[in-house]
Amino acid sequence: MKDTLLSLLRRAAGALLDLLYPERAACLCCDRALGEDEQDGLCPACVRALERLELRQLQREEQGETEPLPPGIAYVHAAYPYTGQARSLILKLKFERQRPAAVPLARAMAALPAGEEELLVPVPTTRRRLRERGFNQAQVLCSLLAGTWGMPMEEALMREDDRTAQSTLGGQSRRANLTGCMRALTSVSGRRVLLVDDVYTTGSTVAEAARALMEAGAASVGVIVAARTEFDP
Ligand SMILES: [Zn+2]
């Protein structure tokens, strides 16, 4: 009884504090409290840092591929290198379930040159991860892109549960761990597919997705990601 009264009082005090000091929106990258004129979720310093990263990645893309791409992948376009504020945004989206972090990422992805693709397909996540996280970050980025570009998207792939988390493995084991874990749910026969993911590291995830898409008849597979690691891990 006493406990109940105490918790009631605490809740009332909390509600009063909320009224007096409404929570200020924080920067999606650095958590700094935003001023009233900063409405897009990012502080000016992080906006500038993201612009610099975008430019850095653009220069890198213009220099062309230095690493061999996985079989079946025509090209990989990335909006950012996977570092600094771009990495923070992706971590917020993935591990802190902050969906608004997808908006600036998708905006930068939408600025990348679009190829001849006809269909956007998000890289699937496992059902288990979907339950834990509540959403698939690749699907969130994909629908924002589809909306911006006015392009059709389809969740054409599914991914099996019960594999070791990719982030705990090195390159070779990543590929072995993934082979055969995805399959197409619909026919993508003759279609040029653009695969959407958050991060490109070794390429093993998109390689498996491309394998499943080609098996389902895809004419070609390109890849677009929010960020790409700068060096082979
Ligand atoms: Zn910031």
Side-chain angles (χ1 to χ4, degrees), residues 95-107:
F95 299 111
E96 294 181 33
R97 301 177 202 183
Q98 293 208 30
R99 290 170 81 130
V103 175
L105 292 170
R107 200 185 296 142

Side-chain angles (χ1 to χ4, degrees), residues 26-32 34 41-47 85:
C27 172
L28 286 165
C29 280
C30 70
D31 290 324
R32 195 175 72 81
L34 292 177
L42 295 167
C43 75
C46 287
V47 168
Q85 279 76 1

Side-chain angles (χ1 to χ4, degrees), residues 102-178:
V103 175
L105 292 170
R107 200 185 296 142
M109 290 164 84
L112 291 167
E116 302 272 277
E117 283 71 23
E118 307 158 301
L119 180 68
L120 291 164
V121 173
V123 167
T125 190
T126 64
R127 262 170 305 190
R128 181 166 50 91
R129 180 99 24 99
L130 199 58
R131 268 197 307 275
E132 287 164 8
R133 210 165 274 168
F135 61 86
N136 170 11
Q137 69 276 5
Q139 191 272 337
V140 173
L141 292 168
C142 191
S143 22
L144 288 168
L145 262 186
T148 309
W149 281 346
M151 217 173 128
M153 75 171 269
E154 212 168 308
E155 292 186 64
L157 295 171
M158 72 87 71
R159 184 168 177 169
E160 268 172 36
D161 277 324
D162 300 319
R163 300 274 178 134
T164 314
Q166 280 299 95
S167 54
T168 64
L169 299 170
Q172 285 277 314
S173 338
R174 277 182 182 226
R175 274 182 288 279
N177 185 49
L178 278 173

Side-chain angles (χ1 to χ4, degrees), residues 2 4 21 33 36 48-49 53-54 73 86 92 96-97 101 114 122 135 162 171 174 179 201 203 207 209 211 216 220:
K2 235 182 194 171
T4 320
Y21 304 103
E36 276 170 24
R48 283 193 299 275
L53 286 173
E54 207 174 336
I73 305 284
K92 287 270 161 102
E96 294 181 33
R97 301 177 202 183
F135 61 86
D162 300 319
R174 277 182 182 226
T179 304
T201 307
R211 187 203 54 77
S220 66

Side-chain angles (χ1 to χ4, degrees), residues 60-61 63-69 74-77 200 228:
R60 201 177 150 208
E61 300 240 336
Q63 283 160 10
E65 282 302 332
T66 50
E67 299 160 35
L69 291 174
Y75 64 84
V76 178
H77 285 325
Y200 181 94
R228 181 171 179 175

